[in-house]
Amino acid sequence: MTDGTAHATAPPRSTLVVTAHAGDFVWRAGGAIALAASRGEKVTIACLTFGERGESAKAWREGRKLDEIKEIRREEAEKAAATLGAGIVFFDAGDYPLIGTPELTDRLVAVYRAAQPDVVLTHPLEDPYNGDHPAAARMALDARVLAQAIGYPAEGEIIGAPPVFFFEPHQPEMCGFRPEVLLDITEVWETKRKAMECLGAQRHLWDYYTDLAVRRGVQLKRNAGPNLGLAHTTMAEAYMRPYPQVTGVLD
């Protein structure tokens, strides 16, 4: 028996990940993506370049051509995104250098409005080793603001004010990165590892990011309760927040 009242079904939570290169979302945020997908949430990855020039050294050493390398990296990223449970949009904007343009910003605003994100993940604004990463972060933040503006000429409904999390750069101590949020990814670690292994062009990073997840897991346990010195297998990712957290309760 029903009361005759129509109840609208709320859309699933939505996460938008803005990355400079094909592998970035896997190394730095694969756990967060897999966790969201495992809860039935929608995850959209906006991949601005394939990392064809700056992050595909193995393929260049093998004598591959540019278009061939871009196709290799596209296939790797598609497999990794599918493994994590996310959809992916490629911009093919060209890396080394990635240069922000009004056209790129417009395309990113359209992705924001289509995704209607509840949370946004992207790079930090500093990285002295890779200018593409802060360029992607700046575009992600600028597009977020523009997508909120009712007067900005783009298709789709305006978005709210989704919180932004910066994921951990390769050398955090050189990028002004502080691990302000430690996310427990233990339950999806094997999924993240499988996604990492889709990236054959950067195989040298598989163990590096496994070790990093172990270290962040140790720090998570140290910050989550009594320090009893017990063995554990916690895996974690670290994040930083550029905007204030909004809450009614301090916890």
Side-chain angles (χ1 to χ4, degrees):
M1 181 177 179
T2 65
D3 60 6
T5 302
H7 297 284
T9 302
R13 276 178 56 85
S14 173
T15 296
L16 176 61
V17 186
V18 182
T19 70
H21 309 115
D24 295 335
F25 67 90
V26 182
W27 312 123
R28 287 72 187 264
I33 295 169
L35 277 175
S38 72
R39 294 191 295 262
E41 301 175 12
K42 179 181 178 182
V43 183
T44 304
I45 300 162
C47 186
L48 301 181
T49 84
F50 297 113
E52 63 271 17
R53 294 188 183 278
E55 301 195 351
S56 303
K58 178 174 178 288
W60 285 106
R61 291 198 307 273
E62 292 172 348
R64 308 273 189 173
K65 304 299 183 185
L66 179 61
D67 287 345
E68 188 180 6
I69 293 171
K70 290 168 72 170
E71 190 56 32
I72 290 171
R73 299 312 312 271
R74 172 194 284 272
E75 290 180 4
E76 289 182 350
E78 287 176 337
K79 289 179 181 176
T83 300
L84 296 170
I88 187 165
V89 179
F90 296 105
F91 283 60
D92 193 12
D95 70 331
Y96 276 61
L98 169 62
I99 298 174
T101 66
E103 291 75 19
L104 271 180
T105 300
D106 280 347
R107 291 173 63 189
L108 198 49
V109 168
V111 171
Y112 264 96
R113 289 188 173 180
Q116 292 290 312
D118 296 288
V119 62
V120 176
L121 310 179
T122 192
H123 301 267
L125 289 166
E126 297 180 38
D127 191 337
Y129 296 102
N130 194 318
D132 290 0
H133 294 161
R138 176 52 59 198
M139 279 187 270
L141 297 186
D142 288 348
R144 173 182 174 275
V145 171
L146 295 174
Q148 293 174 295
I150 194 168
Y152 188 81
E155 293 186 2
E157 296 294 325
I158 60 171
I159 67 169
V164 178
F165 292 83
F166 290 154
F167 43 66
E168 184 164 5
H170 194 63
Q171 297 194 49
E173 65 277 8
M174 299 299 294
C175 302
F177 182 86
R178 289 169 53 88
E180 296 172 340
V181 178
L182 293 170
L183 179 67
D184 190 336
I185 62 168
T186 308
E187 69 180 80
V188 295
W189 168 250
E190 290 303 321
T191 300
K192 176 170 180 174
R193 176 71 193 198
K194 289 178 182 175
M196 289 164 57
E197 293 177 3
C198 293
L199 304 175
Q202 293 179 288
R203 183 169 185 153
H204 60 289
L205 295 178
W206 295 0
D207 289 342
Y208 178 92
Y209 280 95
T210 298
D211 294 342
L212 178 60
V214 171
R215 289 200 300 278
R216 291 308 188 196
V218 171
Q219 294 161 6
L220 183 152
K221 294 296 288 185
R222 182 64 184 87
N223 283 276
N227 182 17
L228 301 177
L230 300 175
H232 63 86
T233 57
T234 306
M235 309 293 271
E237 290 174 345
Y239 293 87
M240 186 174 172
R241 305 194 66 166
Y243 299 121
Q245 178 181 357
V246 178
T247 183
V249 178
L250 292 176
D251 60 3

